[in-house]
Amino acid sequence: MTQLIIDGHEAVLPQNFSTTVKRENSFFTKNGEYTYDCTLKLDNPVNCELYGFLQRLNKTEQIETRRTATLIADGHVYTRGTEIVTRWTEESVTIQIVSGESELNYFIGQDQKIEELDLGEIETIVSTISPTDSFPDVEFCLPTIRSQSGYVYNRYVRGHIMGGHRTGNTIIPGSDLRPQPYLCALLRRLMEALGYTVTENHLENTQFKNLFLVNTIFTTEYAKMLPGWTVKDFLTEVERLTGVVFVTDNLNKTCAILLKTQFYTNARQFTIRNVTDEYETEAQDDDSREAEFTTSDVSYDMPDSYWSKIVQLPEGYLEAADIEEFDFVDIVSAISDPKKVYKDRTTGRYYIKVSREYEVQHQDATATDTFCIELNQYGNLDRVNTDSTLELKIVPAPMAWLGMVGCEVVDIGTSDGYKSYGEESEQSEETTESEGAEGDIRSFEKKETAAIDLYCAFHNGSVLGNNTPVAYTDAYHALTQALLYPMIVDTILGPEGSLRLKDLDDGYYQGGYEIDTRHALTIETYDPNVIDPRQVYVIRNKRYVCKEVEEVITAEGRQNKWKGTFFHIHVSDESLENRWVLTHGVWDDHAVWLDDGRWNDDYDGAIV
């Protein structure tokens, strides 16, 4: 028997009622659970009242939308979500039910702009945030930022020399402050604005808890810090950069942000029985599969600039370069020839020697500065046997050494790469008003047509010895600045994290699961159980993970035969908490612990 409950009221199903329920695994897709068309007759008073007599041409009331809907068959809830009325006539109405990610996609649509949502605003006095504060104690930080127009935000006043030591720097309050929102704080606020509570966020236990998004807009509203970005595009890019997946629970309105490498940790394993002999294995080439970070080449979609060419070398440059290896401890003396590329034997990082001529402030003279810079810091991640490329739209922020601060800062306006020679006195109060307003106008005009370039960097509470907060995109690079730039006299305290693609691959993209997504196995089965697509299954003595399940529901209940699509997975017993016990000379598995202390393979593994 099948029941359809709409907004707490049971609808009358026609005798020939039939629909398909499709449940997809959020590990592979963003479609969640949904039904195909469900057609209801309007020839009875129950359905007519349920749909407000919408078949009448003279009806003036608006159709109720976003009502709860539950489809129950044989005592099992097959989908519980939101009703969508797709069409109607004088005789019938057709609806669909969306749940999970499908429901979320329906609510936000394809074009829902983040800036149109209410993500709340900063309620504390921005300038009171301590430079050593970081997430989760605060939701934003205040490292120094140099904008596209060259204007410097979040400036700090140098401390005074007392007793041979410099006192701590202090931030300059006023309209020059630009809060830099932490990613984890933004995600929590965004999901709450969409009606979901984040119950678990794996990112908060990784380096990404210290990741902030660069903001040069004068606002305290979090939503206004992401102009032009849609919810769908932003969440997609977060998943691609960090290797997570958003798993929503429409019943409880909760959301879990899980690392894909831990998605099947402690997953249950069940056996699918009564599989028919007919099956289909579809070979999918790279063009037909969505590019994803574990199997595709990965690259940052860097804006075109001199800095991006330095940190992401053009293809073929290293192959043609004159490369000499060296030991990093000798970097100052080893890197001497500006025509050569130098490679650190230990880390594999590349460096070159460059010179810059600049005007000496308050003097009618020029000087030359010679220093080392790192090459290909964010070079592409190339894999073998793949033709697909995943481009990341959230990219590492450009960094440049800034004299008025005494360290590297986020510099999205840099043109010469790595160094700016401006002095603090150059930025007057008059310049503050004109440059700041001009920057805001430029941002406002741009957000109407396209999403802003989204840069990111880390701040984990690390400060210079003079109390200036440190932003960085690569901790190793940040820790070596005292050697690369001898003018720095303070020591950076304990940064951690890296946006280098090799480091992301080692720490977050690999080490998870070996899943053969190139060969999709589609089976038909008479197994009576209702399976959860997010578990691991044994089919004909091989382990698989489920991509999607299709079940036909009629007025009498679910049809006995249903269809599923699976991918073969290599995963250890330990990962699945699988136990094996010898019973009467036979190894039993895949089942449940009984009171007599034995595993029993006759257990049907039903999920209820």
Side-chain angles (χ1 to χ4, degrees):
M1 178 181 176
T2 299
Q3 296 173 284
L4 177 60
I5 312 298
I6 304 293
D7 203 24
H9 303 281
E10 184 173 355
V12 176
L13 302 181
Q15 289 185 345
N16 63 346
F17 175 82
S18 178
T19 188
T20 297
V21 176
K22 195 165 185 178
R23 293 180 289 125
E24 301 189 19
N25 188 349
S26 52
F27 186 90
F28 300 105
T29 76
K30 300 292 177 289
N31 296 328
E33 301 178 1
Y34 55 95
T35 69
Y36 291 176
D37 286 347
C38 303
T39 301
L40 304 176
K41 298 294 185 181
L42 296 176
D43 58 359
N44 61 83
V46 174
N47 288 354
C48 285
E49 184 173 354
L50 188 60
Y51 287 93
F53 299 93
L54 57 75
Q55 76 274 26
R56 296 176 179 175
L57 288 177
N58 60 351
K59 176 180 170 59
T60 59
E61 296 86 358
Q62 292 290 328
I63 300 173
E64 291 190 56
T65 60
R66 298 188 177 184
R67 297 189 297 183
T68 60
T70 305
L71 183 63
I72 304 172
D74 308 320
H76 295 285
V77 175
Y78 279 86
T79 185
R80 179 188 285 111
T82 298
E83 170 204 37
I84 303 174
V85 178
T86 58
R87 62 182 180 273
W88 66 88
T89 67
E90 70 279 4
E91 297 179 350
S92 64
V93 58
T94 301
I95 69 169
Q96 291 181 341
I97 303 173
V98 293
S99 177
E101 284 76 12
S102 286
E103 183 180 34
L104 180 60
N105 292 338
Y106 170 67
F107 283 159
I108 65 178
Q110 296 292 320
D111 302 316
Q112 174 64 64
K113 296 289 183 66
I114 294 178
E115 60 196 295
E116 297 170 354
L117 298 173
D118 182 8
L119 270 60
E121 59 182 314
I122 297 172
E123 298 178 353
T124 59
I125 300 175
V126 174
S127 59
T128 61
I129 296 297
S130 169
T132 58
D133 285 340
S134 62
F135 184 85
D137 297 327
V138 292
E139 293 187 298
F140 64 92
C141 53
L142 292 171
T144 300
I145 306 292
R146 188 167 179 259
S147 71
Q148 288 178 319
S149 62
Y151 192 75
V152 179
Y153 296 112
N154 302 339
R155 291 185 295 140
Y156 288 76
V157 176
R158 286 183 179 272
H160 302 287
I161 301 296
M162 297 181 62
H165 299 282
R166 186 182 295 276
T167 60
N169 290 2
T170 55
I171 195 166
I172 303 175
S175 61
D176 286 350
L177 297 183
R178 296 294 186 270
Q180 309 300 304
Y182 280 108
L183 174 64
C184 287
L186 275 178
L187 291 177
R188 187 173 296 275
R189 286 179 173 271
L190 177 58
M191 297 311 299
E192 287 177 353
L194 296 172
Y196 291 82
T197 300
V198 177
T199 56
E200 185 176 12
N201 184 357
H202 284 179
L203 295 180
E204 295 182 2
N205 298 316
T206 70
Q207 65 173 17
F208 295 110
K209 72 177 180 180
N210 299 316
L211 193 73
F212 68 85
L213 302 180
V214 176
N215 167 51
T216 60
I217 298 173
F218 182 57
T219 181
T220 57
E221 296 182 52
Y222 286 100
K224 300 298 188 292
M225 299 177 188
L226 295 169
W229 278 84
T230 65
V231 174
K232 181 179 178 62
D233 289 344
F234 179 67
L235 294 182
T236 297
E237 290 305 320
V238 169
E239 287 186 332
R240 289 176 172 178
L241 174 67
T242 63
V244 297
V245 59
F246 291 81
V247 180
T248 57
D249 181 343
N250 62 290
L251 177 61
N252 299 306
K253 292 297 181 183
T254 60
C255 173
I257 305 174
L258 308 178
L259 287 169
K260 272 197 166 184
T261 54
Q262 299 179 23
F263 190 87
Y264 289 106
T265 300
N266 301 328
R268 297 289 304 278
Q269 177 175 286
F270 302 96
T271 299
I272 295 181
R273 307 178 189 280
N274 304 325
V275 178
T276 66
D277 291 333
E278 297 178 359
Y279 69 91
E280 177 184 351
T281 300
E282 181 181 1
Q284 301 178 339
D285 56 25
D286 289 335
D287 292 335
S288 63
R289 295 183 302 131
E290 181 180 356
E292 57 99 26
F293 49 72
T294 58
T295 57
S296 303
D297 293 339
V298 186
S299 65
Y300 285 114
D301 185 15
M302 294 285 194
D304 187 20
S305 67
Y306 172 80
W307 181 86
S308 65
K309 291 179 180 178
I310 289 291
V311 298
Q312 189 183 57
L313 290 175
E315 184 177 354
Y317 176 85
L318 286 176
E319 287 77 5
D322 182 5
I323 299 177
E324 180 177 319
E325 292 190 347
F326 75 102
D327 295 315
F328 188 83
V329 292
D330 302 321
I331 186 171
V332 176
S333 59
I335 300 180
S336 56
D337 188 345
K339 296 181 180 180
K340 287 186 176 182
V341 174
Y342 292 85
K343 181 180 180 181
D344 184 351
R345 289 189 181 92
T346 303
T347 64
R349 294 177 182 243
Y350 297 92
Y351 300 87
I352 58 173
K353 184 177 184 178
V354 298
S355 298
R356 293 285 186 272
E357 186 177 279
Y358 64 97
E359 295 182 1
V360 180
Q361 296 294 324
H362 310 300
Q363 299 181 29
D364 187 16
T366 60
T368 300
D369 188 12
T370 301
F371 54 97
C372 302
I373 61 175
E374 184 175 347
L375 292 181
N376 213 36
Q377 197 174 351
Y378 303 109
N380 299 343
L381 179 64
D382 296 325
R383 305 190 188 281
V384 296
N385 300 324
T386 183
D387 294 324
S388 61
T389 299
L390 181 67
E391 280 195 332
L392 307 180
K393 304 295 184 182
I394 302 178
V395 302
M399 306 293 295
W401 189 89
L402 190 61
M404 68 171 66
V405 178
C407 69
E408 277 197 337
V409 302
V410 172
D411 185 3
I412 59 177
T414 186
S415 59
D416 66 346
Y418 283 97
K419 276 209 173 186
S420 173
Y421 296 93
E423 292 294 333
E424 189 170 345
S425 59
E426 288 185 342
Q427 191 153 297
S428 64
E429 189 67 28
E430 181 179 356
T431 305
T432 300
E433 296 178 1
S434 60
E435 292 285 356
E438 180 184 355
D440 290 342
I441 292 172
R442 184 180 293 107
S443 298
F444 180 82
E445 292 175 341
K446 187 174 183 179
K447 75 179 182 181
E448 294 298 311
T449 57
I452 61 169
D453 294 329
L454 201 51
Y455 298 102
C456 62
F458 297 105
H459 174 64
N460 69 338
S462 296
V463 295
L464 296 179
N466 58 17
N467 209 38
T468 301
V470 174
Y472 55 94
T473 54
D474 175 3
Y476 180 89
H477 178 86
L479 287 167
T480 60
Q481 294 311 293
L483 289 175
L484 297 181
Y485 302 134
M487 292 179 67
I488 297 179
V489 295
D490 298 308
T491 303
I492 298 174
L493 305 177
E496 55 183 355
S498 172
L499 293 174
R500 295 177 74 223
L501 291 176
K502 181 182 183 303
D503 295 337
L504 291 180
D505 189 47
D506 293 341
Y508 299 95
Y509 296 168
Q510 297 300 318
Y513 310 102
E514 186 179 346
I515 301 174
D516 182 10
T517 57
R518 287 183 171 86
H519 301 91
L521 173 68
T522 300
I523 64 166
E524 291 184 332
T525 174
Y526 289 88
D527 193 307
N529 300 303
V530 181
I531 75 167
D532 180 352
R534 292 174 293 187
Q535 303 301 326
V536 177
Y537 293 93
V538 175
I539 304 173
R540 301 285 173 84
N541 298 319
K542 286 187 177 181
R543 283 184 178 136
Y544 291 86
V545 288
C546 181
K547 178 188 177 186
E548 60 190 29
V549 174
E550 286 189 30
E551 297 155 307
V552 176
I553 308 296
T554 67
E556 288 74 33
R558 187 185 75 169
Q559 287 187 353
N560 292 333
K561 185 169 67 173
W562 53 271
K563 182 168 66 174
T565 300
F566 299 82
F567 295 126
H568 183 46
I569 182 175
H570 294 279
V571 61
S572 66
D573 290 335
E574 290 77 10
S575 298
L576 297 175
E577 286 194 340
N578 230 24
R579 300 177 180 85
W580 299 71
V581 176
L582 186 62
T583 305
H584 304 303
V586 179
W587 288 102
D588 292 342
D589 66 330
H590 313 155
V592 64
W593 188 258
L594 301 180
D595 291 338
D596 61 1
R598 295 179 178 177
W599 289 94
N600 185 350
D601 263 349
D602 292 333
Y603 176 69
D604 61 10
I607 301 176
V608 295

